[in-house]
Amino acid sequence: MPSHNRWVIFSQARARRPSDFKSKSDPNPNSNNQSECPFCVGHEHECAPEIFRVPADSTSDWKIRVIQNLYSALNRELNFPNFPSDSSHCCGDMAVSGFGFHDVVIESPVHPVHLADLSPAQVGDVLLAYKTRIDQLRTFDSIKYVQVFKNHGASAGASMSHSHSQIMALPVVPSAVSARIESMKEFFEQTGKCSLCQVGRDDLLIDESTHFLSIVPFAATFPFEIWIIPRYHSTHFHELDSDKAVDLGGLLKLMLVKMSLQLNNPPFNFMIHTAPLQVNPSQVPSTHWFLQIVPQLSGVGGFEMGTGCYINPVFPEDAAKVLREVFQITG
């Protein structure tokens, strides 16, 4: 596929009915006790330092809080060098200090309320909180890439059942990001067109809004994988404005509800794939951000890890059809 340059095997021998993929277990089997949850309103003092909240002047009536991650994978206190350390050249490898930022976005003050339970405007506010934090982080010259992601369910990597997402700001551009940007550029050089601006096959379309469309990608890596793509060309997620955030919030909520109804509220991850903060001007016409949702329905084995080639037992056209028809099925 032009955005990832990755092969996917669609195996009819492994094909299963959509009902076979329904999640069989609670996505949060180790749900935290609400009375002991540090993310709940009234427990703010138990969390790592707050960065900001929404509304900014709120007290106990806050809607969203952005805080430092208490168990940060990166250290915001380190001085990041502009060159690799002397001990970094073993076997041609390179190492840099663990400088960076690792934050948590608490999406609701109420424990049982998940992102899909919020209104489109409220989901839009969460998206705008991402944008606000990215705008703060990109003032640091040493930050090269910001990854926004959400883990829902223990098997998807969530350690807390209270609805939240995370933001990590890195001093390097990850190799997978560089490969995605280069693959998009190659497609543009060959066709003169942006690969994601060309998306629009009816059999892969799930739904659309004024500014966004949701699809199952042509070479979906995972069963029932969903991409939400701006219908307008945009290189960076942080270019999102308030009106488009509400529009995106509505479509994101719809996709999460559809996925929950059809697949029995599976554990899932979503990631915002955007451009590096200091993108090369020559890559702007070809680079297009999107949001990827991956329900955790099948494991990754040695073949996938060894080859980078994935086996998907559900054809994209079938997955899109199932997701389009969810509300007809549930009536």
Side-chain angles (χ1 to χ4, degrees):
M1 54 197 307
S3 55
H4 284 300
N5 196 22
R6 176 189 298 154
W7 288 101
V8 178
I9 298 172
F10 292 96
S11 174
Q12 287 183 308
R14 297 191 179 194
R16 290 180 275 174
R17 295 168 297 175
S19 59
D20 294 334
F21 285 95
K22 289 189 182 242
S23 179
K24 302 298 193 299
S25 60
D26 183 347
N28 291 290
N30 300 314
S31 295
N32 305 91
N33 186 322
Q34 183 171 348
S35 64
E36 300 174 354
C37 174
F39 288 178
C40 286
V41 64
H43 292 254
E44 294 86 352
H45 62 285
E46 300 175 27
C47 294
E50 180 179 301
I51 299 167
F52 66 87
R53 62 176 59 190
V54 179
D57 58 352
S58 59
T59 53
S60 61
D61 58 340
W62 59 269
K63 304 300 181 187
I64 301 165
R65 293 180 71 228
V66 179
I67 63 173
Q68 297 180 21
N69 193 318
L70 190 61
Y71 306 102
S72 178
L74 299 165
N75 190 336
R76 67 191 70 214
E77 304 301 328
L78 289 177
N79 291 320
F80 179 72
N82 292 322
F83 50 87
S85 62
D86 290 340
S87 60
S88 67
H89 300 293
C90 175
C91 304
D93 292 335
M94 231 171 59
V96 295
S97 71
F99 170 77
F101 297 83
H102 189 177
D103 304 327
V104 174
V105 180
I106 305 172
E107 300 159 352
S108 166
V110 183
H111 194 88
V113 175
H114 292 284
L115 193 63
D117 301 319
L118 301 178
S119 70
Q122 290 171 324
V123 178
D125 286 340
V126 173
L127 298 169
L128 289 174
Y130 299 159
K131 168 191 166 67
T132 298
R133 184 54 180 152
I134 294 171
D135 282 339
Q136 294 174 348
L137 292 167
R138 65 194 184 97
T139 63
F140 293 86
D141 291 338
S142 52
I143 294 301
K144 307 303 180 186
Y145 190 76
V146 179
Q147 180 65 64
V148 177
F149 64 99
K150 178 178 176 65
N151 303 330
H152 172 78
S155 61
S159 58
M160 300 285 291
S161 60
H162 193 123
S163 191
H164 68 284
S165 36
Q166 300 180 61
I167 301 173
M168 293 185 71
L170 307 173
V172 297
V173 178
S175 57
V177 174
S178 297
R180 167 170 54 85
I181 300 300
E182 186 59 30
S183 182
M184 287 179 160
K185 185 181 179 185
E186 288 178 6
F187 181 89
F188 184 84
E189 290 172 345
Q190 293 168 6
T191 66
K193 299 175 182 178
C194 165
S195 59
L196 294 189
C197 286
Q198 301 307 302
V199 169
R201 281 182 51 184
D202 290 342
D203 55 347
L204 298 179
L205 182 70
I206 304 171
D207 214 309
E208 57 189 326
S209 63
T210 303
H211 301 292
F212 299 88
L213 52 84
S214 58
I215 65 164
V216 175
F218 172 74
T221 305
F222 305 99
F224 297 96
E225 176 182 349
I226 299 169
W227 289 10
I228 301 180
I229 304 170
R231 300 174 71 164
Y232 57 97
H233 188 75
S234 178
T235 303
H236 288 104
F237 167 79
H238 63 254
E239 297 168 344
L240 191 73
D241 63 28
S242 297
D243 290 341
K244 290 184 176 68
V246 175
D247 191 52
L248 175 57
L251 192 57
L252 175 56
K253 172 186 171 71
L254 180 62
M255 292 304 102
L256 296 178
V257 170
K258 281 176 173 283
M259 188 172 65
S260 178
L261 289 172
Q262 183 64 301
L263 303 172
N264 194 29
N265 187 25
F268 69 84
N269 307 95
F270 80 55
M271 296 73 65
I272 295 175
H273 298 284
T274 186
L277 295 179
Q278 292 89 29
V279 67
N280 188 312
S282 68
Q283 296 172 328
V284 169
S286 59
T287 306
H288 196 130
W289 73 265
F290 63 99
L291 188 153
Q292 177 190 26
I293 308 171
V294 179
Q296 293 297 329
L297 302 170
S298 58
V300 173
F303 173 77
E304 288 86 355
M305 288 187 280
T307 64
C309 180
Y310 287 74
I311 301 174
N312 188 340
V314 181
F315 284 97
E317 297 84 353
D318 296 337
K321 184 175 185 293
V322 165
L323 291 168
R324 279 197 300 270
E325 297 175 350
V326 168
F327 291 122
Q328 296 177 24
I329 293 171
T330 58

